[in-house]
Amino acid sequence: MLDSTVASAASAGRIPPDRQAIMHRATEDLRKSGILDRIVPVGARMPDFELANHDGRRVSSRELLDGGAMVLSFFRGSW
């Protein structure tokens, strides 16, 4: 995994400055919102949740965990 300094340097050459400014402002706004105080810490138990699957059917984390371990992946959307 790249550290944020290396990732920032790598993206600086391919992301236009005006878009970089928007991204940096959005990141700073999120930090100021207190969102970091509400994240689940690494190693902590995730709260139960329910989401729609690819067919629109609701699937609960509890049901999935009853069948064994679960891995979650998060992908950043487009800017």
Side-chain angles (χ1 to χ4, degrees):
M1 178 179 223
L2 293 174
D3 81 19
S4 61
T5 305
V6 173
S8 292
S11 65
R14 61 184 171 78
I15 300 173
D18 59 325
R19 296 210 179 193
Q20 285 185 45
I22 292 168
M23 291 166 43
H24 292 302
R25 261 195 321 274
T27 300
E28 188 57 30
D29 288 347
L30 284 170
R31 285 190 177 114
K32 288 178 182 177
S33 78
I35 195 170
L36 294 175
D37 298 329
R38 298 187 308 268
I39 62 172
V40 177
V42 172
R45 184 172 180 88
M46 187 74 178
D48 291 339
F49 60 91
E50 188 176 285
L51 298 169
N53 71 4
H54 66 285
D55 292 329
R57 186 177 68 87
R58 302 298 289 181
V59 179
S60 77
S61 60
R62 177 58 29 218
E63 290 172 6
L64 294 172
L65 285 170
D66 286 346
M70 175 176 36
V71 175
L72 296 177
S73 293
F74 296 90
F75 295 92
R76 182 190 83 187
S78 64
W79 290 90

